Amino acid sequence: MTGGSNYYANIPQVEIAGKTGTAQNPGLDHGWFTSFAPLDNPEIVVTVLVENAGRFGSVSASPIASLLIEQYLTGETKRPHILNYVLNFEAGNAGIEDEEEESPDNE
């Protein structure tokens, strides 16, 4: 993704088109992200729904989708900080604060 504010969906050298969303729920909200890549000649479509994520789709679902897309298109993942974020995601606790710390704009 080259526009928008979705830091977690950025894959170097790959343009992703995507839309995030949040679905209200009686408990924690659900987060979702639907996407395709590459932008100009799509090869893959990925939609991720994280139930009870407690956060927006941009911080709960898009990191998962971007790792799947990266693995599919390049054969590997080269962003260990995103993989670590996904593996250690805690519903309701991840995201905005972490995004501010990890975003390249804040380094």
Side-chain angles (χ1 to χ4, degrees):
M1 297 188 78
T2 57
S5 59
N6 196 341
Y7 163 72
Y8 295 108
N10 289 323
I11 302 172
Q13 311 301 316
V14 177
E15 285 189 281
I16 298 176
K19 177 64 180 134
T20 61
T22 305
Q24 292 181 337
N25 185 45
L28 295 174
D29 291 345
H30 306 316
W32 60 267
F33 182 65
T34 190
S35 56
F36 64 86
L39 177 65
D40 292 331
N41 189 20
E43 297 178 33
I44 185 171
V45 175
V46 175
T47 298
V48 174
L49 171 68
V50 181
E51 291 184 301
N52 304 308
R55 290 287 186 168
F56 311 111
S58 62
V59 295
S60 62
S62 72
I64 298 167
S66 72
L67 288 170
L68 293 169
I69 291 169
E70 183 179 27
Q71 180 69 40
Y72 179 83
L73 293 175
T74 69
E76 61 185 333
T77 57
K78 296 180 181 178
R79 299 171 303 143
H81 60 289
I82 300 294
L83 179 59
N84 185 55
Y85 174 84
V86 168
L87 293 174
N88 294 297
F89 182 84
E90 292 184 34
N93 267 344
I96 295 170
E97 300 83 20
D98 297 329
E99 184 172 358
E100 289 175 0
E101 292 174 14
E102 295 177 11
S103 176
D105 295 337
N106 295 321
E107 291 182 59

